[in-house]
């Protein structure tokens, strides 16, 4: 077996014998390497210095992984960072041991260490990977990238474009990533940046043609920003959310909200004229900014109109048995302006002031951070309903690992399959899912400063 290390050690020998045949890469060969390491990239506009990031493959977002549904992914994580790290494969119905959560499914990989991730990809869709250690810092420094699992039978579109929406907080003088651990971020809406980017660039531009049909895979990889999006000069449909196809494409008629970690697959037609411009617009309040500029040059040879056919559904996703479901409740408390009266922290009851001194501002069911006991223990295959009450002033993006859920709507219907649900202050929302995947699965707010300062729990599914 040749690991990366032995290859490096053998570099001199190879250089001395340049005519050695190269080793063929075949199935079952050594896994590809994902090295988490420092790199310098241009994030700020031209004229500003480069920014030092922590990334996979020297870039942010990291190299796109694109594989066929049903295939097996093998990646060897090598940690060349100054901190322990791990890799989480967000939204994948994964083997629990490969979920990448330090303290729950593995030990964090120490600097200089490595870990082999190897798992099947049962579902097609738009997913992403990111560090799950010290995430509020490591993901913001750039340890994240897209994971695209392709359907055998893809939709009829001219192009497939992955658009990773993110933001960075850069020091305007030096262009470097601003320091972490700001109390205001933790206790309020989380760390938002001062420069919004797409695929790591603040001025992402794509050349398109009039009447071209595009599949856009939007991924919000930011720490805390809720992207509020509209289309200009482009029209279309949402065809999947958080990787999972909608039963029917949904026309985009209003502002699309994409919370941290959420994804949306769109199929859109360029309606702007040849020579004109189209935009993916990001709203901050009522002010719109061009998040992505589409320069319209030329005409597509075929013009399609009318809704696309739905994407093929992923197997075994039905959420049934709601009447006999195991019922659970999650009471979300804390944050600025409200706090909590008392919560359990490190095995004792503390008030909000004492929790805040330890940089903890949030509690789930009266516990700050990971509780000793899981929120609930489900039998494999059991249907579970969790009622979540957001007793805070802030929005939260609640993410469950290893499963997709549906929202139980007030009228009794079910929402689309998702792995991350955006909840606003004072909302109560209920989700339901079939606990089909054995293991310990974390359940947390994906506004990463919130997860780091209390909003973290886990569930257990028996084997
Ligand atoms: Cu995207 Cu717990 O993770
Ligand atoms: Cu939150």
């Amino acid at each position: 077996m040749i690991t990366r290390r032995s290859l490096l050690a053998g570099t001199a020998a190879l250089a001395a014998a340049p005519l050695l045949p190269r080793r063929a890469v075949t199935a079952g060969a050594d896994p590809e390497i994902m090295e988490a390491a420092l790199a310098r990239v241009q994030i700020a506009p031209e004229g500003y210095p480069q920014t030092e990031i922590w990334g996979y493959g020297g870039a942010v977002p990291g190299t796109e992984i694109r594989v066929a549904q049903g295939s097996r992914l093998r990646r060897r994580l090598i940690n060349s960072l100054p901190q322990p790290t791990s890799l989480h494969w967000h939204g994948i119905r994964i083997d629990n041991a490969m979920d990448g959560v330090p303290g729950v499914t593995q030990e964090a990989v120490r600097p200089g260490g490595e870990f082999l991730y190897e798992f099947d990809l049962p579902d097609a869709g738009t997913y992403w990977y990111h560090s799950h250690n010290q995430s509020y810092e490591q993901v913001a420094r750039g340890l994240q990238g897209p994971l695209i699992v392709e359907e055998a039978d893809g939709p009829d579109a001219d192009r497939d474009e992955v658009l990773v929406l993110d933001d960075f907080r850069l020091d305007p003088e030096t262009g470097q990533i601003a320091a972490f651990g700001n109390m205001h971020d933790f206790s309020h809406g989380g760390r938002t940046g001062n420069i919004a980017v797409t695929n790591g660039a603040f001025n992402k531009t794509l050349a398109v043609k009039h009447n071209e049909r595009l599949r856009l895979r939007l991924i919000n990889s930011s720490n805390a920003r809720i992207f509020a999006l509209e289309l200009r000069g482009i029209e279309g449909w949402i065809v999947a959310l958080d990787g999972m196809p909608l039963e029917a494409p949904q026309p985009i008629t209003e502002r699309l909200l994409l919370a941290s970690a959420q994804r949306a697959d769109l199929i859109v037609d360029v309606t702007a004229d040849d020579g004109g411009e189209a935009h993916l617009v990001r709203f901050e309040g009522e002010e719109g900014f061009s998040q992505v500029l589409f320069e319209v040059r030329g005409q597509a040879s075929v013009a399609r109109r009318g809704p696309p056919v739905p994407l093929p559904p992923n197997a075994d996703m039905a959420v049934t048995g709601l009447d006999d479901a195991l019922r659970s409740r999650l009471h979300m408390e804390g944050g600025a302006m409200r706090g909590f009266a008392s919560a359990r922290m490190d095995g004792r009851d503390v008030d909000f002031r004492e929790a805040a001194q330890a940089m903890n501002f949030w509690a789930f069911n009266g516990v700050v951070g990971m509780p000793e006991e899981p929120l609930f223990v489900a039998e494999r295959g059991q249907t579970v309903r969790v009622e979540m009450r957001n007793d805070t002033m802030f929005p939260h993006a609640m993410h469950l690992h290893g499963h997709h859920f549906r929202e139980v709507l007030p009228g009794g219907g079910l929402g689309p399959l998702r792995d991350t649900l955006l909840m606003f202050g004072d909302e109560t929302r209920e989700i339901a899912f079939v606990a089909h995947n054995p293991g310990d699965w974390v359940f947390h707010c994906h506004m990463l400063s919130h997860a780091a300062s209390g909003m973290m729990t886990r569930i257990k599914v028996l084997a």
Side-chain angles (χ1 to χ4, degrees):
M1 215 177 100
I2 298 182
T3 66
R4 183 164 183 276
R5 291 205 179 123
S6 59
L7 272 176
L8 285 177
T11 304
L14 281 175
L19 295 178
L20 275 180
R22 289 193 61 174
R23 194 166 169 279
V25 179
T26 53
D30 292 332
E32 276 180 49
I33 302 294
M34 279 175 75
E35 185 184 10
L38 277 63
R40 298 186 75 82
V41 298
Q42 191 71 40
I43 294 170
E46 216 51 53
Y48 281 86
Q50 289 193 319
T51 302
E52 184 179 285
I53 58 141
W54 296 2
Y56 305 107
V60 58
T63 324
E64 176 182 306
I65 301 177
R66 190 178 274 265
V67 286
Q69 181 174 16
S71 60
R72 193 164 173 80
L73 193 69
R74 300 177 78 218
R75 288 291 187 279
R76 188 181 300 282
L77 169 68
I78 295 190
N79 183 6
S80 301
L81 302 170
Q83 277 179 8
T85 194
S86 73
L87 256 174
H88 169 60
W89 311 89
H90 184 116
I92 303 295
R93 290 199 283 172
I94 202 168
D95 170 5
N96 190 247
M98 296 290 121
D99 200 38
V101 182
V104 178
T105 68
Q106 68 169 95
E107 287 310 311
V109 181
R110 273 194 260 265
E114 55 180 61
F115 190 95
L116 176 62
Y117 291 93
E118 182 167 22
F119 51 92
D120 295 325
L121 294 158
D123 303 314
T126 300
Y127 305 97
W128 62 302
Y129 59 84
H130 61 80
S131 160
H132 215 290
N133 199 48
Q134 188 94 345
S135 312
Y136 73 92
E137 173 177 356
Q138 293 195 359
V139 178
R141 286 193 185 276
L143 292 165
Q144 42 152 298
L147 169 54
I148 307 303
V149 186
E150 293 191 314
E151 308 83 7
D153 221 347
D156 177 26
D158 297 307
R159 319 226 317 238
D160 179 326
E161 296 285 347
V162 178
L163 301 173
V164 180
L165 313 182
D166 195 3
D167 62 4
F168 283 89
R169 188 182 294 175
L170 300 182
D171 180 314
E173 300 280 311
T174 63
Q176 300 311 302
I177 293 173
F180 291 87
N182 173 320
M183 184 177 290
H184 188 276
D185 294 340
F186 282 79
S187 57
H188 291 70
R191 178 184 171 105
T192 43
N194 53 7
I195 179 167
V197 298
T198 304
N199 298 351
F202 85 100
N203 56 353
K204 174 74 182 168
T205 304
L206 278 174
V208 295
K209 296 192 170 108
H210 176 67
N211 275 337
E212 218 175 2
R213 179 162 274 198
L214 319 171
R215 178 185 193 162
L216 303 179
R217 299 175 184 261
L218 310 182
I219 302 173
N220 181 349
S221 72
S222 75
N223 258 36
R225 180 183 292 265
I226 300 167
F227 278 90
L229 303 166
E230 288 186 15
L231 303 173
R232 295 282 185 276
I234 293 180
E235 286 170 16
W237 297 263
I238 303 172
V239 294
L241 290 170
D242 296 351
M244 293 293 165
L246 301 183
E247 278 110 64
Q250 181 190 316
I252 302 166
T253 51
E254 47 187 49
R255 211 168 272 186
L256 168 66
L257 295 185
L258 208 61
S260 295
Q262 290 186 320
R263 288 89 65 215
D265 284 45
L266 316 182
I267 290 188
V268 296
D269 297 320
V270 178
T271 52
D273 291 333
D274 184 2
E277 288 181 349
H279 299 271
L280 176 66
V281 183
R282 169 186 93 250
F283 278 86
E284 295 183 12
E286 283 317 301
E287 207 178 344
F289 299 87
S290 180
Q291 179 74 22
V292 179
L293 162 65
F294 300 87
E295 287 180 336
V296 187
R297 301 290 177 267
Q299 305 264 352
S301 42
V302 241
R304 300 178 194 76
R305 283 288 183 266
V309 293
L311 296 174
N314 290 310
D316 305 322
M317 298 301 302
V319 179
T320 55
L322 279 114
D323 293 340
D324 324 301
L326 171 71
R327 284 171 180 259
S328 174
R329 283 207 152 84
L330 190 75
H331 183 207
M332 305 157 65
E333 281 182 291
M337 294 172 282
R338 270 214 203 148
F340 44 69
S342 146
R344 204 86 188 142
M345 184 177 86
D346 300 330
R348 48 195 205 91
D349 294 320
V350 297
D351 63 10
F352 189 65
R353 180 194 301 244
E354 189 175 345
Q357 276 160 4
M359 288 296 273
N360 286 314
F361 299 93
W362 311 89
F364 282 165
N365 290 354
V367 181
V368 168
M370 189 66 88
E372 276 167 38
E373 295 300 320
L375 180 63
F376 56 82
V377 179
E379 299 286 338
R380 187 174 188 175
Q382 192 170 20
T383 302
V384 183
R385 295 170 73 150
V386 186
E387 189 187 86
M388 302 184 285
R389 179 152 69 93
N390 180 4
D391 221 344
T392 82
M393 302 277 287
F394 295 91
H396 301 289
M398 290 300 299
H399 170 51
L400 176 63
H401 283 216
H403 298 77
H404 276 68
F405 52 76
R406 288 182 188 271
E407 184 174 1
V408 183
L409 300 170
L414 292 174
L417 284 164
R418 301 213 73 136
D419 60 40
T420 306
L421 185 74
L422 173 60
M423 296 181 65
F424 289 98
D426 286 320
E427 275 188 344
T428 297
R429 315 263 294 265
E430 188 180 28
I431 58 169
F433 62 98
V434 178
H436 61 79
N437 201 355
D440 290 290
W441 302 104
V442 291
F443 182 32
H444 63 89
C445 178
H446 220 289
M447 284 143 179
L448 297 170
S449 327
H450 294 172
S453 57
M455 297 197 122
M456 172 73 73
T457 186
R458 70 184 193 284
I459 70 162
K460 189 179 192 66
V461 181
L462 298 172

